[in-house]
Amino acid sequence: MDPARTARMRLKLYSFALVAVAGIVVGAPLWSILAPIFISVAIPFAAAAQGIGPVRALFLPSRVDPPAPTAREAVHPGRVR
């Protein structure tokens, strides 16, 4: 799996989990707490549908993925100073 794609998926997972916790803290309606919790649970299941590697990459990024290239490296490979 592409490291940048995995990083985006990880960011979404953490963001939805944070929204769910914030909803609990501020006393939001139940549906607005359950929706981000459902998405936070669904993201790892969607990664698991692609195999165990994406799940490991989602939860253990330093052990699976090499560092993602910077934008400059992606545009001009080999010409980065």
Side-chain angles (χ1 to χ4, degrees):
M1 183 178 251
D2 179 32
R5 183 175 175 203
T6 305
R8 284 191 303 270
M9 191 180 338
R10 189 178 312 112
L11 180 65
K12 290 176 187 176
L13 173 68
Y14 295 156
S15 298
F16 281 113
L18 183 65
V19 167
V21 169
I24 293 170
V25 169
V26 299
L30 184 62
W31 67 267
S32 62
I33 296 171
L34 291 179
I37 289 174
F38 173 75
I39 294 171
S40 296
V41 171
I43 289 173
F45 281 115
Q50 299 175 1
I52 193 68
V55 177
R56 282 192 184 143
L58 189 62
F59 292 111
L60 303 170
S62 61
R63 296 181 186 197
V64 178
D65 290 337
T70 63
R72 267 184 95 175
E73 290 173 343
V75 174
H76 303 290
R79 290 183 39 195
V80 179
R81 294 180 189 165

